[in-house]
C-alpha cells in the first residue's frame, strides 16, 4: 500500500531533473543537463519562457489540488500510508544543505559562476521572494496541516527553501559538474519526503513549495544585474555588502552588513 503513492511522489519530484535520464552515464549527464539547463542561461540573468515550465507545472499542481477532489484524495491516501512512519528532525537541517554547499564549495576552492557578493545577493533575493510568497499563501489559503494543529500547511516552507537552494547550487555549478545539481535536488526531494513522513504537509504542499523555490532562485538571477546597478556604482567598487537571511521554521529575518 505504501509503495504506490510514495513512488508517485518521488517520481513527480524527481522529474524536475531526471525526466530524460538514460542508463549510460554519459547519456545520463547529457540528459540531466538538457532537462535542467535552460536557454537562455538563467545563471547569466537571461530570461526565457521555457525556464518557467517546470516551476509553473509544480506550482500549478499545488493550486489545482486546492480545488480538486481527486488530488485531495491522493493527498489523503499518501498521508494515510505515511503517518505511522518514524518522524525525524533531519529536515530542519537539510533544507539549508544545498545552499550551504555553494558557500562550502567556494571555501574549498571549487569556484562557481559568481563571486561572494553576487551569489549572496542572488541567495538573499531568492530567500526574500520565496518567504514573501510562502507567508502570503499560508495566511490566505488556510489549509489545515495533516496533523490538524494549524491552518498554514500550503505551501511547504521547508521544501521551498530546499529547492531554492538546489536550484542555486545547480545554477552556480552546472558547468563544473552536473552531479552537484543532482545531489542538491536529491537532498531537496528528501526534505520534501520527510515533511510528508513527519505528518506536517500534504503532497500538494511540497510540490507547490518545490516550484516556488525553483522559481524564486531563477527570478533572483534575473534581478541580479538590476540590483547591482541600483546598489553599487562604478565608484563604489571597493565596498562590500552582505545580507544573511535566516529561517527557523517559524520566523524569518536577516542581517545586512556593508564595509566601506
Amino acid at each position: 500500500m505504501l509503495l504506490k503513492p510514495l513512488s508517485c511522489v518521488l517520481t513527480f519530484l524527481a522529474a524536475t531533473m531526471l525526466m530524460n535520464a538514460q542508463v549510460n552515464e554519459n547519456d545520463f549527464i547529457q540528459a540531466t543537463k538538457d532537462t535542467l539547463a535552460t536557454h537562455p542561461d538563467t545563471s547569466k540573468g537571461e530570461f526565457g519562457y521555457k525556464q518557467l515550465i517546470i516551476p509553473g507545472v509544480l506550482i500549478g499542481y499545488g493550486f489545482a489540488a486546492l480545488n480538486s477532489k481527486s488530488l485531495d484524495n491522493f493527498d489523503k491516501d499518501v498521508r494515510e500510508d505515511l503517518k505511522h512512519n518514524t518522524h525525524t528532525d533531519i529536515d530542519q537541517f537539510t533544507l539549508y544543505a544545498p545552499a550551504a554547499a555553494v558557500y562550502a564549495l567556494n571555501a574549498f576552492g571549487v569556484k562557481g559562476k559568481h563571486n561572494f557578493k553576487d551569489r549572496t545577493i542572488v541567495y538573499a533575493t531568492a530567500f526574500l521572494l520565496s518567504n514573501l510568497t510562502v507567508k502570503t499563501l499560508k495566511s490566505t489559503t488556510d489549509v489545515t496541516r495533516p496533523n490538524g494543529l494549524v491552518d498554514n500547511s500550503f505551501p511547504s516552507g521547508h521544501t521551498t527553501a530546499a529547492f531554492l537552494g538546489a536550484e542555486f547550487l545547480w545554477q552556480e555549478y552546472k558547468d563544473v559538474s552536473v552531479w552537484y545539481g543532482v545531489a542538491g535536488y536529491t537532498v531537496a526531494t528528501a526534505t520534501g519526503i520527510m515533511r510528508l513522513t513527519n505528518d506536517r504537509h500534504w503532497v500538494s504542499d511540497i510540490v507547490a513549495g518545490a516550484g516556488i523555490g525553483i522559481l524564486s532562485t531563477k527570478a533572483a538571477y534575473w534581478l541580479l544585474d538590476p540590483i547591482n546597478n541600483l546598489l553599487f556604482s562604478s565608484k563604489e567598487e571597493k565596498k562590500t555588502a552582505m545580507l544573511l537571511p535566516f529561517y527557523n521554521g517559524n520566523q524569518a529575518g536577516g542581517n545586512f552588513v556593508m564595509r566601506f
Side-chain angles (χ1 to χ4, degrees), residues 35-260:
T35 299
L36 290 177
T38 52
H39 304 282
D41 190 347
T42 302
S43 65
K44 296 179 180 178
E46 301 169 349
F47 175 80
Y49 290 106
K50 289 183 179 180
Q51 298 163 319
L52 303 176
I53 294 176
I54 291 177
V57 169
L58 296 174
I59 295 170
Y61 177 94
F63 276 101
L66 296 177
N67 299 290
S68 170
K69 185 66 176 177
S70 60
L71 294 180
D72 181 63
N73 287 336
F74 178 72
D75 277 353
K76 292 176 180 177
D77 287 343
V78 174
R79 189 258 176 171
E80 186 64 27
D81 286 332
L82 296 180
K83 68 179 181 180
H84 300 300
N85 280 260
T86 302
H87 293 191
T88 176
D89 292 327
I90 298 176
D91 56 340
Q92 302 298 328
F93 304 97
T94 56
L95 78 164
Y96 296 118
V102 174
Y103 290 92
L105 287 167
N106 272 272
F108 283 101
V110 185
K111 301 301 181 183
K113 281 287 185 68
H114 295 87
N115 59 31
F116 179 82
K117 175 179 72 72
D118 285 350
R119 66 176 178 268
T120 300
I121 291 174
V122 168
Y123 181 60
T125 302
F127 180 88
L128 294 174
L129 289 174
S130 65
N131 271 272
L132 177 61
T133 303
V134 168
K135 296 294 184 183
T136 300
L137 290 175
K138 282 182 177 292
S139 63
T140 56
T141 55
D142 294 325
V143 176
T144 304
R145 290 181 185 266
N147 57 22
L149 297 180
V150 288
D151 297 331
N152 65 351
S153 189
F154 183 87
S156 167
H158 283 65
T159 309
T160 298
F163 275 85
L164 180 159
E167 179 69 8
F168 182 40
L169 179 61
W170 165 250
Q171 293 297 340
E172 287 296 309
Y173 285 98
K174 61 187 178 183
D175 292 336
V176 177
S177 173
V178 68
W179 295 106
Y180 291 123
V182 171
Y185 270 93
T186 298
V187 172
T189 300
T191 301
I193 297 300
M194 283 186 280
R195 299 307 286 167
L196 295 176
T197 59
N198 285 341
D199 206 26
R200 298 300 299 273
H201 284 289
W202 307 101
V203 172
S204 53
D205 299 338
I206 67 169
V207 172
I212 293 169
I214 294 170
L215 183 59
S216 296
T217 300
K218 290 182 181 295
Y221 278 101
W222 299 332
L223 293 171
L224 176 59
D225 285 343
I227 291 175
N228 264 327
N229 292 335
L230 179 65
L231 297 180
F232 305 97
S233 69
S234 59
K235 296 180 180 180
E236 297 176 323
E237 292 179 351
K238 295 183 179 180
K239 293 182 180 180
T240 59
M242 179 170 58
L243 179 63
L244 298 176
F246 70 85
Y247 177 67
N248 62 14
N250 296 307
Q251 298 175 318
N255 296 307
F256 180 79
V257 178
M258 178 175 284
R259 184 179 68 182
F260 295 87

